[in-house]
Amino acid sequence: MARRRQLYEGKAKILFEGPEPGTLVQYFKDDATAFNSQKKGTITGKGVLNNRISEYFMLRLGEIGVPTHFIRRLNMREQLIREVEIIPLEVVVRNVAAGSLATRLGIQEGTRLPRSIIEYYYKNDALQDPMVSEEHITAFGWAGTADIDDIVQLTLRVNDFLTGLLLGVGITLVDFKLEFGRLYENDEMRIVLADEISPDNCRLWDSKTGEKMDKDRFRRDLGRVEEGYQEVARRLGILPEAGVRDLKGPETVQ
Ligand code: UDP
């Protein structure tokens, strides 16, 4: 197998140089972290499931005209993506009160919000991703007002689309986190959806029972973490045929 140059290793993914200029290979690990990396663990098969689930969401979003960095899935754990300049923001959308919003504002977890709320966090591990406002974003030059307009429009479309898609399979989309990047093509810049959309960065509750099917199972030691992720894939009709027990999957050959 050709050795590829590793460009970056994050908490849940590794980025390698892609086969062509302007492309990268995104590798999904089983590693999980929570509470700003104070809690660390492994969720067996998570990388395989997140690769599939994120591929599925990115493809469906692409079909409705949401630009994404996704090109194609390469194998069980890897996908080919476009290289983008990541905007250093975590864009969180909330439909139902949970997690830090419930804690900070003293709202009972599970309370439906009067409307969807978008929050921004500055992506900086050392500072533990502090919450910021549009004022901070424009003042410090992380994104301009036109960029923020694009981000808000895309985020709301993603939220509406995924809310409906998931509701169709009996899952409530409580909240989730998106990341965006700048893609430069023919002297033009476009903002595109980047990173991943998976149970690692969404809160997904069974619409009937309220059972959690996302990373909160890991964060809150609820057990059956892998099963939660697997159930999301199963309902979406994309559970890998070989099963998640086929952990390593084929290696990419270039
Ligand atoms: N989230 C994320 N990465 C982060 C912080 C949050 O993917 O670094 C996601 C999280 O999974 C949830 C949503 O963003 O779906 C809102 O998270 P919250 O602010 O409630 O923080 P948490 O309770 O996860 O600390």
Side-chain angles (χ1 to χ4, degrees):
M1 191 192 85
R3 302 273 325 152
R4 289 165 308 172
R5 193 139 64 102
Q6 182 176 318
L7 301 176
Y8 170 81
E9 176 155 12
K11 287 169 258 179
K13 294 189 291 295
I14 304 174
L15 288 178
F16 295 99
E17 206 167 56
E20 288 144 35
T23 65
L24 300 175
V25 172
Q26 182 164 248
Y27 176 97
F28 288 75
K29 303 192 282 184
D30 283 348
D31 297 350
T33 60
F35 312 119
N36 297 301
S37 299
Q38 287 169 44
K39 182 180 168 100
K40 289 196 171 94
T42 305
I43 304 169
T44 312
K46 173 174 83 86
V48 174
L49 291 163
N50 281 357
N51 188 21
R52 279 285 170 125
I53 295 169
S54 195
E55 170 198 27
Y56 182 78
F57 287 148
M58 292 285 183
L59 285 175
R60 296 293 84 76
L61 286 165
E63 284 165 6
I64 61 155
V66 172
T68 82
H69 72 163
F70 183 83
I71 302 174
R72 68 173 182 276
R73 189 167 59 82
L74 296 171
N75 57 47
M76 296 280 273
R77 287 189 181 268
E78 295 177 326
Q79 47 183 243
L80 187 66
I81 58 170
R82 276 182 221 293
E83 183 171 22
V84 300
E85 184 185 282
I86 288 285
I87 296 171
L89 295 175
E90 302 208 331
V91 180
V92 168
V93 193
R94 301 175 183 277
N95 300 307
V96 175
S100 70
L101 177 105
T103 310
R104 259 183 321 108
L105 303 184
I107 301 174
Q108 167 111 33
E109 193 160 82
T111 309
R112 185 152 280 281
L113 299 170
R115 62 180 176 92
S116 302
I117 294 174
I118 299 182
E119 297 172 348
Y120 306 102
Y121 296 83
Y122 176 45
K123 249 171 87 72
N124 185 311
D125 281 342
L127 300 175
Q128 306 189 347
D129 301 341
M131 189 194 255
V132 294
S133 71
E134 283 193 32
E135 291 279 297
H136 301 101
I137 297 169
T138 49
F140 296 117
W142 301 322
T145 47
D147 299 335
I148 298 177
D149 279 354
D150 287 354
I151 289 172
V152 169
Q153 291 309 314
L154 290 171
T155 299
L156 292 176
R157 284 188 75 196
V158 172
N159 185 40
D160 283 348
F161 183 74
L162 293 186
T163 295
L165 190 155
L166 286 161
L167 203 59
V169 296
I171 297 174
T172 301
L173 180 58
V174 171
D175 58 30
F176 60 101
K177 184 260 298 182
L178 297 178
E179 292 187 26
F180 293 90
R182 295 190 180 88
L183 184 63
Y184 295 91
E185 265 174 342
N186 313 320
D187 288 341
E188 285 201 10
M189 188 280 284
R190 272 198 308 158
I191 292 198
V192 305
L193 191 57
D195 193 48
E196 69 176 285
I197 307 178
S198 74
D200 264 10
N201 38 48
C202 300
R203 282 197 170 91
L204 304 169
W205 296 353
D206 183 286
S207 309
K208 284 215 177 79
T209 65
E211 193 182 359
K212 299 182 197 318
M213 293 186 258
D214 56 62
K215 204 164 105 178
D216 271 349
R217 300 203 71 80
F218 168 76
R219 293 189 189 99
R220 302 181 188 187
D221 293 320
L222 299 176
R224 297 172 46 83
V225 186
E226 178 195 336
E227 285 79 357
Y229 284 59
Q230 212 166 319
E231 179 59 12
V232 174
R234 193 191 65 76
R235 291 198 194 183
L236 292 170
I238 52 168
L239 196 61
E241 276 162 36
V244 282
R245 290 285 160 202
D246 181 5
L247 297 176
K248 293 220 86 169
E251 296 284 356
T252 306
V253 179
Q254 287 175 29

